[in-house]
């Protein structure tokens, strides 16, 4: 939306509005003319202003991948949409793992014997096993795939 606002003008917008009211035999030529006008306007704009007209980095330091996935989804095919959902799920899994890891580190500082075996078996599993036990099978698979690619 913001991109369209930057790279068009009122004349082009008026042409877009009247396009459906033009004789169907002329609509194809008018659509091509509109795209040509947008291209010409954009090229003129960059000649006058050689700097970046818009940039995500100016708005925020780190991109919000979830928001980006959400914004892309309406324009994606079904398979691309599923891939975006998988990416969002993987990010959520990694964030959850980081949060749990931080919590477990804090708990280990409070309870230093937590990672060691005891006679009652209460603290018998390692931190990693405990964290992995909290993940769903899909999350475990994503985490293992992510961990394998990180170590390489």
């Amino acid at each position: 939306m913001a991109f369209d606002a930057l790279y068009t003008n009122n004349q082009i917008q008026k042409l877009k509005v009247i396009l459906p009211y033009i004789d169907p035999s002329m609509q194809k030529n008018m659509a091509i003319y509109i795209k040509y006008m947008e291209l010409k306007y954009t090229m003129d704009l960059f000649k006058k202003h050689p700097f970046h007209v818009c940039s995500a980095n100016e708005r925020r330091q780190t991109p919000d991948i979830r928001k980006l996935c959400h914004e892309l989804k309406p324009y994606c095919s079904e398979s691309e949409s599923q891939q975006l959902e998988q990416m969002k799920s993987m990010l959520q899994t990694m964030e959850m793992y980081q949060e749990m890891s931080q919590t477990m580190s804090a708990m280990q500082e409070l309870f230093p014997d937590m990672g060691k075996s005891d006679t009652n078996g209460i603290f018998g599993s390692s931190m990693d096993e405990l964290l992995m036990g909290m993940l769903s099978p899909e999350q475990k698979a994503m985490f293992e795939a992510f961990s394998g690619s990180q170590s390489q």
Side-chain angles (χ1 to χ4, degrees), residues 69 72 75-76 80 84 100 105 116 118 145:
C69 290
L72 287 173
Y75 307 104
C76 293
E80 292 170 331
L84 287 174
M100 290 182 351
S105 294
K116 300 174 185 171
D118 66 355

Side-chain angles (χ1 to χ4, degrees), residues 66 89-103 131 134-136 139-140 143:
R66 285 189 193 161
S89 179
M90 183 180 76
L91 289 170
Q92 184 177 0
T93 300
M94 296 311 300
E95 288 172 2
M96 184 173 56
Y97 179 80
Q98 287 176 335
E99 288 173 11
M100 290 182 351
S101 181
Q102 290 171 352
T103 301
L131 292 174
M134 294 179 183
L135 300 176
S136 70
Q139 291 171 330
K140 285 180 187 176
F143 177 76

Side-chain angles (χ1 to χ4, degrees), residues 9-152:
N9 60 25
N10 287 344
Q11 181 184 3
I12 295 170
Q13 290 301 107
K14 288 183 221 173
L15 292 173
K16 287 181 180 182
V17 169
I18 64 172
L19 183 63
Y21 300 99
I22 293 179
D23 184 53
S25 64
M26 294 296 297
Q27 285 180 354
K28 177 181 168 184
N29 292 334
M30 180 63 87
I32 293 169
Y33 178 70
I34 290 170
K35 289 298 175 187
Y36 167 76
M37 293 294 293
E38 286 178 324
L39 176 62
K40 185 176 180 321
Y41 183 81
T42 302
M43 290 171 56
D44 290 343
L45 184 66
F46 279 118
K47 283 180 187 174
K48 292 177 187 174
H49 308 285
F51 56 87
H52 294 288
V53 177
C54 64
S55 174
N57 291 335
E58 291 174 7
R59 289 181 278 165
R60 51 188 164 300
Q61 292 293 353
T62 57
D64 184 350
I65 302 298
R66 285 189 193 161
K67 183 177 179 190
L68 178 61
C69 290
H70 179 74
E71 290 173 354
L72 287 173
K73 195 171 182 179
Y75 307 104
C76 293
S77 68
E78 184 63 32
S79 65
E80 292 170 331
S81 183
Q82 289 174 352
Q83 289 174 341
L84 287 174
E85 286 301 319
Q86 287 175 342
M87 183 184 301
K88 284 172 43 177
S89 179
M90 183 180 76
L91 289 170
Q92 184 177 0
T93 300
M94 296 311 300
E95 288 172 2
M96 184 173 56
Y97 179 80
Q98 287 176 335
E99 288 173 11
M100 290 182 351
S101 181
Q102 290 171 352
T103 301
M104 294 305 289
S105 294
M107 289 178 69
Q108 195 169 24
E109 286 179 19
L110 292 172
F111 307 103
D113 294 335
M114 187 172 173
K116 300 174 185 171
S117 292
D118 66 355
T119 56
N120 298 328
I122 297 171
F123 301 116
S125 59
S126 71
M127 291 295 170
D128 290 339
E129 290 172 353
L130 185 61
L131 292 174
M132 291 301 281
M134 294 179 183
L135 300 176
S136 70
E138 296 84 16
Q139 291 171 330
K140 285 180 187 176
M142 278 191 242
F143 177 76
E144 288 168 357
F146 182 76
S147 295
S149 68
Q150 290 289 10
S151 64
Q152 293 172 0

